[in-house]
Amino acid sequence: MSLSVTPCLDRALWDAGVNALSGHPQQLWGWGQTKADHGWSVERVEVRDGGATVGSAQVLLRKLPFPLRSLAYIPRGPQAEKGREVDVLDAVAAHVSSVHGSVALSIEPDWEAGSAVEARLASAGWKRSANTILIGRTLILDLTQSTEDLLAGMSKKHRQYIRKSGREALDYRRVVRGELPACLAVYRQTAERAGFGIHEDSYYFDIFDNLGEASPVYAAFSGTEVVAFLWLSASDATSFELYGGMTEEGERLRANYALKWFAIEEMKRRGITRYDFNGLLNDGVSKFKMGWAGHEDQLMGTWDKALSPLYPVFASALPLAKTAVRGGRVLVGAAAARLRR
């Protein structure tokens, strides 16, 4: 029996379906709503075999210059029954091509590299892409381990700093909405020191409001002052780090160590089984992340399904798009440079 693809317009049903298939928080309704509030379009589709749902995908769409029309993107999805992953993806790709006429469907699934699914993707016409949005190399803690085993798995220095920062006169707790401006002020300071760009404050407030309980923010307070914060998103199965930062005082007190451990314990108490540190590079932040366990995880990375004869034009233009925009030139596919924002 061929698979059918049906849009889902009910938030409660959608999130329940994502969680039933152990989906990622970037597939929850609130994440898609935030992207829709900031320049994307979103469609949520269920894939059925007869009357049974075998998968689903939250598809983000970004307009591209004519004649490319749009790019379709599935962040950390889809979710699918084991063994039906490629069937689900091909059904979604056919739907996107028919309904939206997109030049390509780009995916970054929450699936391990080297799996049988990866081999089937290649044979089904999907191609690896170097135009990565979410980093495939990461660290994922198994929160089904005991607290003692999690502590034993981290570096000695990390255990020492957790104890040290935990002894400081700091209060570690979840942030309420009225305290977000203080966290965002710390984030701006952190971005200025590290030299990376951030969104306007309204974007972060929209994440907080749209995801609700699925996006907790934790902070270390010295009195009423935020000296460090850590922002997560969380489905029933997976927690995923979004943002974080600290002041110079927070750095001196090593507040990020006890704060991250506090967040990990909170996720474990919620019954979440995976804690994803959201990417590893070769920088100081990644070195800090790598101290939390003696292993790394590699997800499948970015894969594209060409949906138009113009796909080669799009694929070659995308890596140059940011340069073209800075130079004031118009390049086919330049709008896709906004993907990383």
Side-chain angles (χ1 to χ4, degrees):
M1 181 182 292
S2 62
L3 301 180
S4 62
V5 178
T6 307
C8 178
L9 304 178
D10 186 300
R11 175 174 184 150
L13 287 176
W14 177 259
D15 284 349
V18 169
N19 285 319
L21 289 169
S22 299
H24 194 274
Q26 288 204 316
Q27 285 289 294
L28 294 174
W29 186 285
W31 184 258
Q33 182 60 52
T34 299
K35 304 310 285 186
D37 291 341
H38 293 270
W40 294 79
S41 299
V42 61
E43 184 179 33
R44 304 168 183 92
V45 295
E46 295 177 321
V47 181
R48 296 193 178 101
D49 187 348
T53 299
V54 296
S56 60
Q58 178 163 254
V59 184
L60 305 180
L61 297 127
R62 174 72 82 174
K63 288 184 178 179
L64 297 178
F66 183 82
L68 300 182
R69 299 187 65 176
S70 68
L71 171 69
Y73 170 54
I74 305 177
R76 289 293 182 258
Q79 36 283 329
E81 286 187 356
K82 188 173 179 60
R84 305 299 301 271
E85 296 92 346
V86 178
D87 295 339
V88 167
L89 276 171
D90 283 345
V92 173
H95 172 83
V96 166
S97 177
S98 173
V99 174
H100 302 289
S102 300
V103 66
L105 174 59
S106 186
I107 62 169
E108 290 177 329
D110 192 25
W111 301 333
E112 291 183 3
S115 64
V117 179
E118 188 172 326
R120 292 199 300 272
L121 270 182
S123 64
W126 292 80
K127 300 180 182 296
R128 286 189 179 277
S129 173
N131 298 320
T132 297
I133 299 168
L134 296 171
I135 301 168
R137 179 188 170 216
T138 188
L139 170 61
I140 301 174
L141 290 181
D142 176 6
L143 297 188
T144 65
Q145 297 180 84
S146 68
T147 299
E148 292 73 20
D149 286 342
L150 287 169
L151 285 165
M154 66 182 68
S155 73
K156 180 179 179 181
K157 182 187 77 171
H158 275 53
R159 289 194 298 272
Q160 290 173 338
Y161 284 154
I162 288 171
R163 289 193 294 269
K164 179 181 183 300
S165 56
R167 289 194 296 267
E168 300 291 347
L170 297 175
D171 179 25
Y172 299 91
R173 59 176 172 81
R174 185 167 174 178
V175 167
V176 299
R177 194 179 193 278
E179 293 166 329
L180 275 188
C183 295
L184 294 176
V186 172
Y187 197 35
R188 284 191 292 273
Q189 294 174 32
T190 303
E192 289 171 5
R193 291 198 305 268
F196 61 85
I198 62 175
H199 295 277
E200 69 280 3
D201 285 2
S202 63
Y203 180 82
Y204 303 105
F205 275 93
D206 284 346
I207 292 174
F208 190 88
D209 293 338
N210 289 329
L211 279 167
E213 285 299 310
S215 190
V217 183
Y218 301 103
F221 291 83
S222 177
T224 59
E225 179 187 0
V226 173
V227 297
F229 80 97
L230 180 60
W231 194 324
L232 308 178
S233 59
S235 62
D236 283 359
T238 297
S239 53
F240 185 67
E241 291 189 352
L242 293 176
Y243 315 108
M246 60 181 168
T247 64
E248 292 182 356
E249 176 68 3
E251 186 172 6
R252 184 185 70 80
L253 297 172
R254 309 286 185 181
N256 53 332
Y257 287 88
L259 177 61
K260 193 179 290 285
W261 180 239
F262 178 83
I264 289 169
E265 289 190 299
E266 285 292 298
M267 294 298 99
K268 185 173 172 60
R269 277 191 283 271
R270 283 173 64 157
I272 291 169
T273 57
R274 301 167 75 240
Y275 185 101
D276 189 338
F277 284 70
N278 187 9
L280 296 175
L281 297 169
N282 296 311
D283 61 0
V285 173
S286 296
K287 185 176 180 181
F288 167 66
K289 291 179 180 180
M290 291 167 67
W292 292 86
H295 71 276
E296 295 180 10
D297 295 272
Q298 183 65 51
L299 301 178
M300 281 175 43
T302 310
W303 292 73
D304 287 352
K305 184 68 172 281
L307 304 178
S308 163
L310 294 173
Y311 173 76
V313 176
F314 164 79
S316 62
L318 181 56
L320 302 174
K322 285 186 178 180
T323 301
V325 170
R326 283 195 295 269
R329 293 179 285 113
V330 177
L331 179 69
V332 172
R338 298 179 69 186
L339 279 171
R340 286 184 176 272
R341 294 184 183 175

